[in-house]
């Protein structure tokens, strides 16, 4: 029998903001837990969609043509190739669902950029 995973409990593994941790996999899609606070960076994922599900708090995702505000229980899929910038005024817990080959900050590199190895 497979044991269940408690979604809120996995956030204990996340100790840094903007440093997602892989918590599961469904086929080629990774499930990642992340704590966000502040602003990440404008970026895009050229070949991958990215789903943000808000577990705790709220998140604003800025787009070139406006912004979307998400609160606990909301989710939003950012389509491949769409430039976006996540911003969390207060700490926000997010479940990310994205293909395993998704680069954390697309082709943009910053001190917050994490490799897949760092996310495991």
């Amino acid at each position: 029998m497979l044991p269940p995973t408690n979604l809120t409990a996995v956030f204990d593994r996340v100790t840094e903001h903007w440093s997602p941790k892989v918590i599961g996999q469904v086929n080629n899609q990774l499930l990642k837990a992340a704590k966000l606070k502040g602003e990440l960076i404008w970026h895009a994922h050229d070949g991958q969609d990215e789903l943000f599900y808000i577990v705790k708090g709220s998140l604003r995702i800025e787009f070139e043509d406006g912004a979307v505000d998400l609160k606990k229980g909301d989710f939003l899929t950012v389509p491949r190739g769409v430039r976006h910038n996540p911003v969390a005024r207060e700490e926000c817990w997010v479940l990310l669902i994205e293909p395993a080959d998704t680069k954390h900050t697309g082709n943009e590199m910053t001190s917050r950029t994490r490799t897949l190895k760092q996310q495991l």
Side-chain angles (χ1 to χ4, degrees), residues 19-31:
S19 188
K21 296 296 177 198
V22 175
I23 60 169
Q25 184 169 354
V26 178
N27 300 314
N28 192 37
Q29 300 287 316
L30 296 180
L31 287 74

Side-chain angles (χ1 to χ4, degrees), residues 62-83:
E62 298 175 338
F63 296 99
E64 292 177 326
D65 62 350
V68 174
D69 292 308
L70 304 169
K71 62 185 180 322
K72 180 180 176 179
D74 290 343
F75 74 89
L76 178 75
T77 300
V78 177
R80 66 193 71 194
V82 173
R83 287 182 49 78

Side-chain angles (χ1 to χ4, degrees), residues 12-114:
D12 291 341
R13 292 183 42 207
V14 182
T15 58
E16 294 178 64
H17 294 121
W18 304 107
S19 188
K21 296 296 177 198
V22 175
I23 60 169
Q25 184 169 354
V26 178
N27 300 314
N28 192 37
Q29 300 287 316
L30 296 180
L31 287 74
K32 300 177 182 181
K35 290 180 181 176
L36 315 180
K37 187 173 181 184
E39 185 172 336
L40 185 56
I41 186 173
W42 280 95
H43 67 284
H45 306 284
D46 293 333
Q48 305 87 13
D49 298 335
E50 180 179 34
L51 184 138
F52 290 79
Y53 172 75
I54 309 305
V55 177
K56 178 180 173 182
S58 62
L59 180 69
R60 170 174 277 230
I61 301 181
E62 298 175 338
F63 296 99
E64 292 177 326
D65 62 350
V68 174
D69 292 308
L70 304 169
K71 62 185 180 322
K72 180 180 176 179
D74 290 343
F75 74 89
L76 178 75
T77 300
V78 177
R80 66 193 71 194
V82 173
R83 287 182 49 78
H84 60 287
N85 183 32
V87 179
R89 292 182 188 189
E90 301 294 327
E91 185 173 84
C92 176
W93 294 7
V94 177
L95 172 68
L96 300 166
I97 302 174
E98 56 195 21
D101 62 348
T102 302
K103 294 179 183 176
H104 183 219
T105 54
N107 292 325
E108 307 296 328
M109 297 297 291
T110 74
S111 61
R112 290 185 171 164
T113 302
R114 300 292 181 260

